[in-house]
Amino acid sequence: EMSEMSERSKQNVAHGLAWSYYVGYLKIVLPRMKKSMEEFSRANPNLLACRKTWKLHILVPLSCDVYDELEKADSNIQYVTDLTETTLARAGTKQRVYKHSLYAIRDEENQLWHCAVEYATPLQSLYAMSQDECAAFSREERLEQAKLFYRTLEEILKGSKECADTYRLIAYEEPEEAEPHFLSREIVWHLRQEHHEEIAVLEGSHPHPPSTALDSAELNLQISVSDLPQPLRTDGF
């Protein structure tokens, strides 16, 4: 009966996508991020001077609107190169390749910021489900699922010691009126935060987040304790 209620309310969709994304992808690639960024930094010391940005920046648009090419989302974001590939045998596929792309983000003062950034790919599935009659996802349900996906993923990653300090989740809600450089401003704000963390020049106050920046408090869905992801076990089960 509980299973049927969960399926009817679609509560299991976002949880499943978040856990699959973590176990099948993030848990594999994130622990290797620092080494990959360090290798690139040795060859290009001027591009990644701030070590706090040596992580994967994961975009979580609550609209689930994901672009295959970031340049099409915002012309102030330009592809630079790919970081070192990770090749593993995975689920019967020999030499499956995992890699990340490095981008240059131009800010309002024409300064370039460099970082590895990509969308959380499961959001494409949520968007596709909202377009498929079989899934019967409304726009409102998709938004709630996107919020739940973010909350669940955040909790999972917080409990993962091997992924600590290797990622930054960037959740945002796009403005109703189109802004051509909205996304680049969002990313740059986070990069500036990381830069401030490294140089420890806070002067007793924190930079004010943009009006669209979201955190867990703003994504409160009144989820019960039993619905939240459980702490990760370390005994191999």
Side-chain angles (χ1 to χ4, degrees):
E1 184 178 350
M2 290 297 295
S3 177
E4 289 178 0
M5 289 175 61
S6 179
E7 288 179 14
R8 284 198 298 270
S9 65
K10 302 183 177 70
Q11 289 178 357
N12 57 332
V13 174
H15 280 292
L17 287 175
W19 275 103
S20 177
Y21 184 46
Y22 168 71
V23 175
Y25 179 64
L26 295 181
K27 191 176 180 181
I28 298 170
V29 302
L30 288 182
R32 297 171 169 82
M33 276 301 298
K34 294 287 185 183
K35 182 180 178 182
S36 181
M37 299 293 275
E38 187 173 4
E39 289 175 357
F40 181 84
S41 183
R42 282 200 297 267
N44 305 270
N46 295 327
L47 294 187
L48 294 172
C50 178
R51 296 181 69 91
K52 271 289 185 179
T53 64
W54 292 10
K55 57 187 67 173
L56 183 61
H57 297 77
I58 303 170
L59 303 176
V60 186
L62 298 184
S63 66
C64 298
D65 194 4
V66 172
Y67 288 79
D68 289 326
E69 298 181 37
L70 282 169
E71 295 90 339
K72 292 183 178 180
D74 190 324
S75 61
N76 277 352
I77 304 174
Q78 293 297 319
Y79 167 80
V80 176
T81 188
D82 290 330
L83 298 176
T84 305
E85 297 177 350
T86 294
T87 304
L88 299 171
R90 187 75 175 169
T93 300
K94 298 291 186 180
Q95 298 186 348
R96 176 165 290 181
V97 175
Y98 298 87
K99 66 179 181 180
H100 310 285
S101 297
L102 190 78
Y103 287 86
I105 320 294
R106 189 177 302 278
D107 66 16
E108 301 92 335
E109 299 170 357
N110 219 30
Q111 178 183 352
L112 291 179
W113 302 72
H114 295 83
C115 69
V117 59
E118 61 189 50
Y119 286 101
T121 52
L123 295 178
Q124 288 182 310
S125 298
L126 281 178
Y127 187 85
M129 290 177 71
S130 71
Q131 304 298 307
D132 194 309
E133 292 182 1
C134 295
F137 251 37
S138 69
R139 180 177 297 181
E140 292 75 18
E141 287 173 325
R142 185 181 71 199
L143 176 61
E144 295 306 302
Q145 288 294 316
K147 291 179 179 179
L148 183 55
F149 170 82
Y150 171 78
R151 296 259 328 260
T152 306
L153 183 62
E154 183 183 48
E155 290 296 323
I156 293 171
L157 288 171
K158 280 182 178 179
S160 175
K161 294 181 180 178
E162 55 208 313
C163 295
D165 202 34
T166 62
Y167 68 92
R168 190 173 185 105
L169 297 179
I170 304 178
Y172 59 90
E173 200 159 14
E174 296 174 346
E176 293 183 3
E177 295 185 7
E179 296 182 24
H181 302 307
F182 165 81
L183 184 56
S184 58
R185 288 200 305 273
E186 285 286 319
I187 298 172
V188 167
W189 183 85
H190 284 271
L191 294 175
R192 283 177 174 150
Q193 285 285 82
E194 291 167 338
H195 183 71
H196 291 161
E197 291 169 9
E198 174 152 308
I199 63 177
V201 183
L202 298 178
E203 298 179 353
S205 63
H206 296 274
H208 294 290
S211 58
T212 51
L214 303 175
D215 57 27
S216 294
E218 294 175 276
L219 297 178
N220 181 15
L221 302 177
Q222 297 183 340
I223 302 170
S224 69
V225 174
S226 62
D227 287 331
L228 292 174
Q230 301 302 308
L232 299 180
R233 294 175 58 177
T234 58
D235 56 4
F237 294 92

